[in-house]
Amino acid sequence: MGIKMEKNCPMLYFVTIAVVFISNLQANSDIVYNSTDQSLIDYIAENAEIRYDVISNFVDKRKTFTSKITIKNTGNLTIAYNNWEIYFYAIRLVQPNEYPYKEGFKLHNCKMRLYHVAGSLCKLCPERNFRMESHDFVECKLVMKYWQSAKTDTMPNWYVWAEGLTSRDIESTQGDTLTFVGPFERPEQYQRYADDGWSPFTPESRFKKNDELAVSNVSEKLVIPTPVEMNMKSGSVKVDSSWTVVNSTKYYQVAKLIAEHFGLTIRSTKPQEKFIDITEQHDLNPLNVSTTVNEAYLIQISSQYITVSARAKAGMFYAYQTLKSIHQDGKSLPLCVIKDQPRFAYRGMHLDVGRNFFSKEEILKILETMAMYKLNQFHFHLTEDEGWRLEIPGIPELTEIGSRRCHDLNEDTCILPQLGSGSPKNGLGSGFYTTEDYMEILRYANDRNIQVIPEIDMPGHCRAGIKALEARYRKYMKIGNEVEANKYLLTDFADKTQYLTVQWFSDNAINICLNSTAVFIRHLITSLIEMHQDIQPLNIYHFGGDEVAGAWKESPECKKFLSKKGLNDTATLKRYFAHFMSNLTNDEELHMAVWADALKEGNALYNISAFPTNQNIIAYNWDNLWERGHGDKAYKLANAGYKVVLS
């Protein structure tokens, strides 16, 4: 059982977004910006009023939709052609039928030219005949893949820039309220296609549905998840300062937590009454299963004393969480007997901090909440195309550059803005965890019976790491240190392969044929093992492995590699890499986790017998949508011998 956050993959259908600029020009201002200096950039940022509207999803049988961008000049000056550019974000590929358009796609009615920069980042450049008078506007139409049926598919913080000047975020698009996005009121706006059954709730319909679900004479649940057995008796007991906690040498930390929660002292001897006793009980197994037996516990609450029993640290910690849950009014506890044991060995949460960064403090809050609900696996998605979030000793560029987003087209100081992050350096979407931050997270998780499963996604979804190490390469080449420049390089610069991922990147796959790539991966795993070793020894390493989109076909290094390894073509490299990672992690006595699509070629799963037999291969199956005919994928993986997590 798993909960997945932020693994944000576009739909498998084509949709089209139309964004149109239609000029409505009046010669009503005397001052014209026809040269570019910082004052023009500032003027556009402050006076360009952006409006985005979806026109219709009912365009091309689920493949495309149309929308409209309106730019109004609310200032008193005229904006004319020059080298300024407006950057915006589109999570659907713009003009898919014309892609790639390296020289730009001319939007005739709006006198601007559209470019796809990378991923979700696009830009609009004025044509020579562009002119927008004071208080006039332009409208532009675009066509994009898939559909858009919600405001939140539009990203904020568009910005304007010109060569040699400082970029500025456009004020009318700032913030996450998305006030510049028009409403979704008509069926062709809020439905994905003509025969879509979806209809959004109104406040009135939502109230009615909730009211219909209300059930009378049902008491609220005191404990979530529901315990295996919960025998409630009449009466309650007030635990006040006259009570004590009997010390347990083996489970002192839990004794301390219980004492702190109730405001009690800890003593070494058991009094006659009014005590909370912590005892070890080796025969606890309410579900009669071995996989979660160490997480089982028993709580017995009487008017004279409370007994908390478990056979291991994890169970004792969960007993503490249950005590907190039933002590709701802060005064008394119900008289009861509670027996509990988790039904699932894996009770997880997946958090993607690559696309959207969460601070260390926010991670600790999430872990605290996980512990409250007795979740025990934290799948920590630490890297993505849009950000590298973990400091790796010896390779500072990964976080110095790969964790930061800003407008730097060369990506020497940061990676490009994505997903509404805006143009300033160290702004939204930027951030990383130092090694000490990460180890503090490990300690916090370990104290709460939560295993941290780090994911460094590769070979795809690794653009932030790739660009950071390309910048490292350029830095060392400038000073003539070719050995250091190539040490961790992930790029074959001679590779002319053209590919495009479902997140619209064409340069996000590490080159797995380079020896420096293998050196880099070994360094990563060794670094993670060292961070974990004295806190929570690393047990599972997740390498991602999903959504590799036709990379390496024209790579000279891969052609040599294929010949050396006796492999047929680049299509076999995905399988090769899965086995390489399996052997590498197995050598370190680690189990290997992957996204499920890393374990197949077409619809055929890899034979698990080809992997090391003493290693668990854990498939995280995110594509479970029954409406697409994918509801059986998890069963197929399990029947093939893989451990399976539903994500």
Side-chain angles (χ1 to χ4, degrees):
M1 180 179 70
I3 302 171
K4 184 176 181 186
M5 292 180 67
E6 295 293 342
K7 183 73 180 175
N8 190 15
C9 299
M11 298 296 179
L12 300 180
Y13 306 104
F14 291 96
V15 183
T16 310
I17 297 182
V19 183
V20 186
F21 290 79
I22 302 169
S23 179
N24 178 24
L25 304 177
Q26 304 170 12
N28 59 0
S29 57
D30 298 325
I31 302 175
V32 179
Y33 266 124
N34 55 12
S35 63
T36 307
D37 58 21
Q38 189 61 44
S39 64
L40 172 58
I41 301 304
D42 295 341
Y43 179 86
I44 294 174
E46 295 165 7
N47 293 283
E49 183 179 276
I50 305 292
R51 165 76 178 231
Y52 175 84
D53 293 278
V54 167
I55 298 171
S56 178
N57 291 314
F58 300 173
V59 175
D60 193 14
K61 295 182 179 179
R62 308 187 184 193
K63 293 181 180 179
T64 58
F65 70 93
T66 55
S67 67
K68 179 177 68 174
I69 296 175
T70 304
I71 303 178
K72 183 178 180 180
N73 176 8
T74 63
N76 296 320
L77 307 178
T78 297
I79 302 172
Y81 161 80
N82 214 290
N83 66 333
W84 55 269
E85 303 169 342
I86 288 178
Y87 287 78
F88 69 99
Y89 313 91
I91 64 172
R92 311 291 193 238
L93 182 63
V94 188
Q95 300 301 138
N97 296 328
E98 290 78 25
Y99 189 88
Y101 34 86
K102 293 183 179 179
E103 303 303 317
F105 179 78
K106 189 172 181 179
L107 302 167
H108 295 282
N109 288 333
C110 81
K111 300 174 184 176
M112 300 188 84
R113 193 171 288 266
L114 166 75
Y115 294 84
H116 176 238
V117 182
S120 66
L121 188 64
C122 303
K123 69 177 181 180
L124 294 167
C125 302
E127 295 279 78
R128 290 189 176 274
N129 60 346
F130 180 91
R131 184 182 177 92
M132 186 162 52
E133 306 285 347
S134 170
H135 300 290
D136 278 339
F137 62 89
V138 294
E139 293 180 341
C140 270
K141 274 191 176 179
L142 304 173
V143 177
M144 300 175 71
K145 273 189 175 181
Y146 309 124
W147 52 75
Q148 180 175 349
S149 58
K151 266 191 174 187
T152 49
D153 279 359
T154 305
M155 300 294 146
N157 302 318
W158 301 15
Y159 66 93
V160 58
W161 174 80
E163 183 70 40
L165 302 177
T166 301
S167 61
R168 283 278 309 275
D169 287 1
I170 297 173
E171 292 180 3
S172 63
T173 68
Q174 287 182 321
D176 57 8
T177 57
L178 301 176
T179 54
F180 70 100
V181 182
F184 288 72
E185 297 173 333
R186 304 187 308 275
E188 63 269 27
Q189 292 175 313
Y190 61 73
Q191 291 184 327
R192 296 167 292 176
Y193 34 83
D195 56 346
D196 192 0
W198 159 248
S199 181
F201 291 132
T202 64
E204 293 79 12
S205 64
R206 190 182 298 276
F207 179 86
K208 185 175 184 295
K209 286 181 179 293
N210 287 340
D211 192 52
E212 289 170 351
L213 291 172
V215 180
S216 60
N217 300 320
V218 175
S219 59
E220 64 180 358
K221 286 186 176 293
L222 293 178
V223 184
I224 300 174
T226 302
V228 175
E229 296 179 25
M230 195 164 180
N231 182 12
M232 306 300 296
K233 302 178 180 179
S234 61
S236 63
V237 58
K238 183 177 180 180
V239 177
D240 56 24
S241 59
S242 64
W243 284 61
T244 60
V245 176
V246 181
N247 188 26
S248 168
T249 304
K250 188 170 183 179
Y251 302 115
Y252 175 74
Q253 289 302 321
V254 172
K256 184 178 177 183
L257 288 171
I258 292 173
E260 288 175 353
H261 175 74
F262 288 100
L264 308 179
T265 58
I266 299 175
R267 58 183 293 177
S268 56
T269 58
K270 186 186 299 185
Q272 293 294 318
E273 60 178 6
K274 294 188 176 182
F275 61 86
I276 301 176
D277 194 16
I278 298 172
T279 64
E280 194 168 28
Q281 186 172 335
H282 292 287
D283 61 351
L284 273 178
N285 192 357
L287 291 177
N288 196 30
V289 295
S290 61
T291 52
T292 59
V293 69
N294 286 335
E295 298 175 287
Y297 65 89
L298 169 66
I299 298 174
Q300 301 174 85
I301 301 176
S302 72
S303 59
Q304 302 296 313
Y305 59 85
I306 299 170
T307 302
V308 178
S309 306
R311 58 190 296 164
K313 174 187 171 185
M316 201 64 78
F317 178 76
Y318 290 148
Y320 156 69
Q321 291 292 339
T322 294
L323 277 176
K324 283 204 305 179
S325 180
I326 62 177
H327 189 225
Q328 289 183 322
D329 61 7
K331 296 179 180 179
S332 59
L333 293 167
L335 303 184
C336 61
V337 176
I338 299 173
K339 291 182 181 179
D340 199 10
Q341 181 179 356
R343 295 156 180 80
F344 300 97
Y346 188 110
R347 307 178 304 282
M349 178 168 181
H350 167 230
L351 182 65
D352 178 351
V353 296
R355 295 183 175 96
N356 297 289
F357 183 66
F358 292 74
S359 69
K360 178 191 71 176
E361 291 72 24
E362 289 170 314
I363 300 299
L364 300 185
K365 290 179 182 177
I366 289 170
L367 292 171
E368 190 68 50
T369 305
M370 287 178 64
M372 181 173 68
Y373 290 108
K374 303 181 178 75
L375 301 179
N376 67 343
Q377 307 290 329
F378 182 48
H379 174 188
F380 205 1
H381 190 90
L382 289 161
T383 66
E384 257 302 336
D385 295 321
E386 299 87 355
W388 185 286
R389 305 306 185 187
L390 179 60
E391 179 185 32
I392 301 297
I395 317 180
E397 296 83 5
L398 288 170
T399 46
E400 288 175 354
I401 298 165
S403 75
R404 297 184 170 99
R405 299 181 200 164
C406 72
H407 185 81
D408 175 1
L409 294 178
N410 295 323
E411 298 183 285
D412 287 321
T413 61
C414 60
I415 60 174
L416 289 169
Q418 296 290 339
L419 303 175
S421 57
S423 64
K425 192 172 185 179
N426 297 324
L428 186 67
S430 296
F432 69 95
Y433 311 107
T434 65
T435 54
E436 184 51 48
D437 287 338
Y438 184 72
M439 289 190 288
E440 183 178 343
I441 290 169
L442 290 178
R443 293 186 195 98
Y444 202 86
N446 196 60
D447 287 345
R448 287 154 181 78
N449 193 46
I450 297 170
Q451 178 179 211
V452 177
I453 302 170
E455 180 188 352
I456 307 294
D457 205 350
M458 58 179 66
H461 289 278
C462 202
R463 188 179 187 277
I466 290 168
K467 294 303 174 182
L469 296 183
E470 286 179 2
R472 182 182 188 276
Y473 171 87
R474 292 190 292 271
K475 178 180 72 174
Y476 281 107
M477 288 299 288
K478 283 181 182 178
I479 61 175
N481 190 342
E482 187 173 356
V483 172
E484 195 63 31
N486 284 290
K487 185 175 182 180
Y488 299 120
L489 189 64
L490 305 175
T491 306
D492 177 4
F493 291 114
D495 185 1
K496 303 302 180 184
T497 306
Q498 298 292 314
Y499 66 90
L500 191 66
T501 72
V502 291
Q503 282 88 23
W504 325 129
F505 289 103
S506 58
D507 52 0
N508 79 334
I510 65 174
N511 192 298
I512 64 177
C513 305
L514 297 171
N515 182 62
S516 53
T517 297
V519 172
F520 172 73
I521 295 171
R522 288 190 176 95
H523 183 84
L524 280 183
I525 294 176
T526 299
S527 298
L528 280 165
I529 289 171
E530 290 175 355
M531 289 184 220
H532 277 252
Q533 64 183 359
D534 294 328
I535 304 167
Q536 185 186 78
L538 187 62
N539 182 41
I540 301 171
Y541 176 77
H542 198 307
F543 85 84
D546 60 320
E547 297 178 334
V548 181
W552 317 307
K553 292 178 181 178
E554 302 300 326
S555 165
E557 291 295 330
C558 282
K559 289 177 181 178
K560 291 188 289 186
F561 185 83
L562 289 169
S563 177
K564 179 181 177 181
K565 295 290 185 180
L567 300 173
N568 295 330
D569 53 40
T570 52
T572 63
L573 287 174
K574 180 183 170 186
R575 182 196 298 262
Y576 166 82
F577 189 69
H579 286 93
F580 168 79
M581 291 302 301
S582 177
N583 289 324
L584 184 58
T585 50
N586 187 62
D587 289 346
E588 298 291 348
E589 299 182 349
L590 301 174
H591 299 296
M592 185 179 77
V594 295
W595 294 109
D597 39 331
L599 297 172
K600 65 177 184 176
E601 198 164 318
N603 291 320
L605 292 171
Y606 299 154
N607 191 331
I608 196 169
S609 65
F611 293 102
T613 56
N614 61 335
Q615 181 186 54
N616 286 333
I617 309 294
I618 307 166
Y620 285 65
N621 191 43
W622 60 269
D623 189 6
N624 304 302
L625 292 180
W626 62 268
E627 60 193 89
R628 297 186 198 159
H630 299 166
D632 62 349
K633 285 189 174 183
Y635 297 96
K636 290 179 178 178
L637 286 159
N639 291 337
Y642 295 103
K643 303 290 185 181
V644 183
V645 174
L646 296 180
S647 296

